[in-house]
């Protein structure tokens, strides 16, 4: 028997894989939570805008999350009905949307965990998307070394956007009182 046959016939210990899978899925869950909280802030802001006399009817209240972000961007754009109050949130919205590609991968991707020789994980997420009216296989890869930075940036941009949207809702509420 040669060395390759001996290695391929051996069962590797499961413990490192189980630990890595647990940690990668915990990271994935924390990221999804940040997206969910931000999406709630966007929905609340759109709802508050829609209740404003004269301008509220111009605000779309779509069902899909991506469309909600688009509706908010349109409402606070320079030509939008809430530009004056929402201009302070426009940059924060764009900054948060730099993470747009990550959300569908986290929420809908089929994950596979790989380990390197030191037990550090890499999460490979594959998901189906429609691009230009055609089915496209998408791939997002996050290493353990990158994961904390991704989560920190996602959390930071979410907090800034959520805070600015809270201020916007407060300003709209004060105008209606």
């Amino acid at each position: 028997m040669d060395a390759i046959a001996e290695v391929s016939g051996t069962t590797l210990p499961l413990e490192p894989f189980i630990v890595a899978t647990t940690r990668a899925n915990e990271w994935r869950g924390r990221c999804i939570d940040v997206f969910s909280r931000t999406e709630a802030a966007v929905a609340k802001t759109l709802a508050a805008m829609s209740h404003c006399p004269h301008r509220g009817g111009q605000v779309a209240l779509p069902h899909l999350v991506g469309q909600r972000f688009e509706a908010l961007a349109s409402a606070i754009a320079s030509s939008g009905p809430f530009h004056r109050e929402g201009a302070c949130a426009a940059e924060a919205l764009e900054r948060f949307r730099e993470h747009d590609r990550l959300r569908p991968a986290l929420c809908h991707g089929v994950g596979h965990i790989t380990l390197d020789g030191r037990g550090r994980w890499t999460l490979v997420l594959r998901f189906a998307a429609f691009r230009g009216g055609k089915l496209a296989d998408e791939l997002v890869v996050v290493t353990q070394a990158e994961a904390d930075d991704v989560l920190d940036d996602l959390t930071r941009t979410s907090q800034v956007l959520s805070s600015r949207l809270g201020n916007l809702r407060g300003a709209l509420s004060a105008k209606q009182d």
Side-chain angles (χ1 to χ4, degrees):
M1 185 183 281
D2 62 5
I4 294 174
E6 289 177 19
V7 170
S8 67
T10 331
T11 302
L12 298 174
L14 288 178
E15 182 66 22
F17 181 75
I18 292 169
V19 169
T21 301
T22 299
R23 291 203 174 122
N25 283 325
E26 287 170 348
W27 172 83
R28 187 178 184 181
R30 287 193 301 271
C31 289
I32 291 171
D33 183 64
V34 172
F35 276 108
S36 297
R37 292 175 187 280
T38 309
E39 291 161 11
V42 168
K44 289 177 185 177
T45 303
L46 289 171
M49 289 174 170
S50 74
H51 289 103
C52 288
H54 310 294
R55 301 179 288 167
Q58 298 175 50
V59 176
L61 299 175
H63 176 71
L64 299 176
V65 171
Q67 293 172 350
R68 289 180 186 179
F69 277 86
E70 284 300 318
L72 178 62
S74 294
I76 63 175
S78 60
S79 61
F82 292 92
H83 172 69
R84 193 170 3 104
E85 301 93 340
C88 64
E91 183 181 331
L93 176 61
E94 286 307 307
R95 178 71 178 93
F96 182 79
R97 293 190 75 188
E98 291 174 9
H99 298 287
D100 277 353
R101 186 166 182 263
L102 184 59
R103 183 191 173 280
L106 292 171
C107 295
H108 308 292
V110 176
H112 299 278
I113 304 291
T114 63
L115 296 176
D116 67 12
R118 294 188 171 173
R120 293 174 297 213
W121 55 264
T122 297
L123 175 60
V124 179
L125 296 165
R126 295 178 188 275
F127 64 102
F130 290 105
R131 303 278 180 238
K134 295 184 179 179
L135 183 63
D137 291 324
E138 297 285 331
L139 180 73
V140 172
V141 178
V142 180
T143 66
Q144 183 175 345
E146 298 167 330
D148 287 338
D149 290 340
V150 169
L151 179 58
D152 289 346
D153 190 50
L154 179 64
T155 301
R156 193 171 30 260
T157 58
S158 170
Q159 289 170 340
V160 170
L161 177 58
S162 295
S163 174
R164 293 194 181 160
L165 293 178
N167 292 340
L168 171 55
R169 290 191 305 274
L172 295 175
S173 176
K175 285 185 176 185
Q176 292 179 3
D177 291 341

